[in-house]
Amino acid sequence: MRLLCPALALLLAPLAQAEPLAPLPSTSQGEGYAVLIVSRERLEVATTCEVALYLHDQMAARLHQGQSVSFNLPPGRVSLRLGLTGTGPCQDGINQLAGQSLELQAGEVRRYRIAMGSDGLRLHAAPMLN
């Protein structure tokens, strides 16, 4: 049994999610939440830099390749922005100027993936998992 727990931890380590860095606004009970899931697939963004995810202009997470993060958010409009962060060519300040906004409904689950296009980093809707 003692060997099973460390082995299980090693198997689950790649599934770990990025930690949110900033507290998110809270809502009173009864309003409900929407779930926003953002993932950085290994081949979508061809850089070793971290991708910073900003919610309402505050950094909420940093994602390495293969990581994902989820947020319980109050229903309503959410402004999102993505940027590269880290050291060297990844230094803060190389952020995408344009952001995106979403309108979330209570009880809704939305999945997005980060992709690089000609206009910079963008969130694209990802298929729901069954």
Side-chain angles (χ1 to χ4, degrees):
M1 184 66 176
R2 289 183 183 183
L3 293 176
L4 183 59
C5 290
L8 185 58
L10 287 174
L11 288 173
L12 295 177
L15 301 177
Q17 294 185 345
E19 294 287 326
L21 299 177
L24 299 173
S26 62
T27 63
S28 63
Q29 289 186 354
E31 288 184 27
Y33 288 92
V35 177
L36 175 65
I37 302 168
V38 178
S39 63
R40 180 180 174 190
E41 306 299 328
R42 294 190 185 277
L43 300 176
E44 294 287 333
V45 180
T47 179
T48 57
C49 301
E50 293 177 319
V51 173
L53 172 66
Y54 297 85
L55 295 175
H56 301 292
D57 290 325
Q58 291 190 2
M59 187 184 294
R62 293 177 184 214
L63 293 119
H64 293 281
Q65 290 180 352
Q67 288 186 316
S68 66
V69 65
S70 62
F71 301 97
N72 290 328
L73 298 171
R77 184 166 300 282
V78 176
S79 67
L80 301 156
R81 193 165 47 90
L82 299 169
L84 299 178
T85 187
T87 59
C90 304
Q91 287 181 351
D92 292 340
I94 307 175
N95 292 326
Q96 177 177 321
L97 298 176
Q100 294 174 256
S101 64
L102 305 172
E103 188 72 33
L104 299 174
Q105 305 296 322
E108 180 177 38
V109 177
R110 292 232 197 133
R111 292 182 51 84
Y112 288 88
R113 61 182 173 77
I114 299 171
M116 180 72 83
S118 60
D119 57 346
L121 294 170
R122 299 291 293 172
L123 290 176
H124 293 280
M128 292 304 298
L129 299 175
N130 292 332

